Each structure stands twice: as C-alpha cells, then as structure tokens.
Amino acid sequence: TLTNNPIRPLIMGRKKENPNYATNHELPWREDSSNSSTKYLRNKLRHDIIPLFKELNPGFLSTMSDNMGKLGEVADIFAREIDSKKKHLLTQKDDSYFISVENLIEEDHYKVILYEILQEFGFTNSLVEDILSSIKTKESGKLFYSSEYRLVKDRDQLIIERILDKNFQRY
C-alpha cells in the first residue's frame, strides 16, 4: 500500500517549491510532522546550519550542488579504477582468493586498494591496518578474521577463505 511505501517524486525539489508543485498538479500533499523538529540531525542541518552557511555565502547551495556532482563523478572514476585493480590483484581458485603481496605493494596507494578489496569480505579498516603491519614486518602465518572470512598472511600472498564452521568462535 502507499502508506507503507510512500512515493516521494519531489525529493529532489526545494522545500518551498514542493507544495506549490503538488497543488498545481493536483497531487495530495502531506507534511511529515518530524520535518519541523531540530531533534533530528537532518533537520538541525536543514533549519539551522544550512541557513547560516547561506547567510555567510549566498552561493552556498549552488556551490554545494556543483561539488556534489563532481564528487559523484569522482566516485565513479574511483570505483572503475578499484575494479580494475581488483581484477589485476585478486585471483580466485576454488573457494579461496589470493592477493600477491609483491604485486600489491608495487601499486600506488596500495593501502586504499587493499582496504577496498578486503572490505567486501567484511574486513574493517583497523583489521586492514593490522594486515598491512604484518606485510611490513614480513610476518608469515598470521591470521585475521572478519565475520565470514579468514585471511592468512603467507610469505608471498594473502589468502582469503570463507569460514565454513558457523560455530567457530575467535578468542
């Protein structure tokens, strides 16, 4: 039903313009009462912070809109580059994944690349930092765990395998 899945066709419009648009196009308009409360962070920004920025810089909204568009494009470029690096660095054999340590550290920004690869396996930023430390110290046999995967730092590679025993608990 519509009440469980509200349609928000005007979500990209400005707040002041939306009721007029709805009226002009004979659309029902309902204002959510939570929108006026600054108890919620989104509304605190909308009602207090953004107007202050607009007061300091009248072109604030235009500048932010331009910046958001550019950041979206940068995110697309980043995602394509990371996909390319993943294809180059991450290999799969049966149910295991391998990353050559030598090939990884030859990459510019290999820390970011490793994080982007490993976050898909559930490894957090702090775990990736620990894995990078084990690479630098050339520790072999060190184990790292995400909720579903185990990573083994071998001499020459990182080996990622799914944890098959669901009752497995780390200590």
Side-chain angles (χ1 to χ4, degrees), residues 47-104:
H47 296 301
D48 297 337
I49 306 300
I50 291 175
L52 181 60
F53 281 139
K54 285 168 52 177
E55 180 183 320
L56 295 171
N57 176 1
F60 172 75
L61 289 180
S62 175
T63 300
M64 286 307 293
S65 179
D66 290 347
N67 287 343
M68 294 303 291
K70 289 173 188 168
L71 287 173
E73 292 175 19
V74 168
D76 289 344
I77 293 167
F78 179 80
R80 281 195 301 269
E81 185 65 20
I82 289 296
D83 283 344
S84 172
K85 297 296 182 187
K86 284 179 190 175
K87 288 176 185 168
H88 171 68
L89 293 170
L90 187 66
T91 57
Q92 182 178 4
K93 184 176 180 186
D94 299 323
D95 292 331
S96 298
Y97 298 86
F98 301 87
I99 300 171
S100 163
V101 171
E102 182 180 348
N103 291 346
L104 174 67

Side-chain angles (χ1 to χ4, degrees), residues 1-8 28 30:
T1 66
L2 288 178
T3 56
N4 292 335
N5 297 304
I7 299 170
R8 296 183 175 101
R30 187 180 127 220

Side-chain angles (χ1 to χ4, degrees), residues 124-140:
T124 63
N125 189 51
S126 62
L127 276 172
V128 173
E129 290 294 329
D130 293 343
I131 293 164
L132 287 165
S133 292
S134 77
I135 289 172
K136 289 177 186 170
T137 60
K138 300 186 186 303
E139 289 181 77
S140 186

Side-chain angles (χ1 to χ4, degrees), residues 22 106 115 125 152 170:
E106 287 177 355
Y115 171 75
N125 189 51
V152 179
R170 295 173 292 193

